[in-house]
Amino acid sequence: MIKVIDNFLPEEEFGSIQSFMMGGEFEWFYCEGAVRENDGLFHMAHMFYQPEVGSNSEHLLMWSNFMNQVGAKECTRIKANLTFKTPTIELTEYHIDYEDIKTAIFYINTNNGYTEFESGVRVSSVANRVCIFDSNLKHRGTTHTEPDPRRIVVNFNYA
């Protein structure tokens, strides 16, 4: 089941997160591929939390309310992805992040990129929207062509 919720976070909280992540102070790191290394779709990422390391961002706590609202009991990974505007929409490979848990994709800004599921369902990138689904569902992201030069999503994997 795919659940889409608009205006997920309170407006003030979301505005603060959006301003921070889209501002010049937020740290992004270069990645050679979108789904796997050297797949031709470079992007920027910020890893808030990952199982091998635990917290590797001083900004992890800004997601506490989000994790409570999605009902997360245990966090597996929180990763922000930034892709850049392209002349045409480019698709990543279908994939799963982890097996047998939950995935939530949180959209930081509105653009014409989207998340697509193998079933054909598409979820548009709309600021403050969350898409929650069983992590076994194959999905893929896209680049975008307008309006902002960046597309930012945060991917949550949790039990």
Side-chain angles (χ1 to χ4, degrees):
M1 181 169 122
I2 300 165
K3 185 176 184 179
V4 177
I5 306 168
D6 287 332
N7 302 309
F8 187 71
L9 291 177
E11 190 175 320
E12 186 175 321
E13 180 181 358
F14 175 72
S16 175
I17 290 170
Q18 183 186 50
S19 293
F20 178 60
M21 290 187 73
M22 295 188 77
E25 301 292 315
F26 192 74
E27 296 174 311
W28 292 101
F29 302 92
Y30 179 77
C31 297
E32 280 292 333
V35 175
R36 58 184 168 76
E37 196 170 334
N38 297 316
D39 65 10
L41 294 172
F42 74 90
H43 72 289
M44 304 297 281
H46 182 98
M47 191 68 72
F48 290 95
Y49 184 89
Q50 66 190 70
E52 303 83 16
V53 178
S55 174
N56 44 318
S57 172
E58 64 187 79
H59 310 296
L60 179 63
L61 289 178
M62 74 183 200
W63 297 115
S64 296
N65 184 41
F66 182 96
M67 295 298 282
N68 286 335
Q69 286 202 70
V70 296
K73 294 174 183 58
E74 183 179 330
C75 179
T76 302
R77 184 180 73 171
I78 303 174
K79 179 186 177 204
N81 296 306
L82 181 155
T83 56
F84 297 97
K85 187 175 174 175
T86 53
T88 59
I89 289 181
E90 298 179 27
L91 308 171
T92 66
E93 297 174 19
Y94 283 113
H95 65 280
I96 63 169
D97 300 324
Y98 293 90
E99 293 181 345
D100 303 323
I101 57 175
K102 290 282 188 190
T103 296
I105 299 174
F106 188 58
Y107 303 92
I108 299 298
N109 62 332
T110 299
N111 53 70
N112 68 342
Y114 53 89
T115 302
E116 182 175 45
F117 292 86
E118 208 170 36
S119 66
V121 171
R122 285 184 180 178
V123 178
S124 299
S125 294
V126 175
N128 202 12
R129 170 179 279 176
V130 68
C131 174
I132 302 169
F133 55 95
D134 182 304
S135 67
N136 294 316
L137 290 178
K138 286 191 175 185
H139 63 283
R140 64 181 173 188
T142 69
T143 60
H144 69 291
T145 62
E146 58 184 42
D148 194 285
R150 302 159 293 174
R151 176 177 186 252
I152 301 174
V153 302
V154 183
N155 183 295
F156 297 83
N157 304 108
Y158 61 95

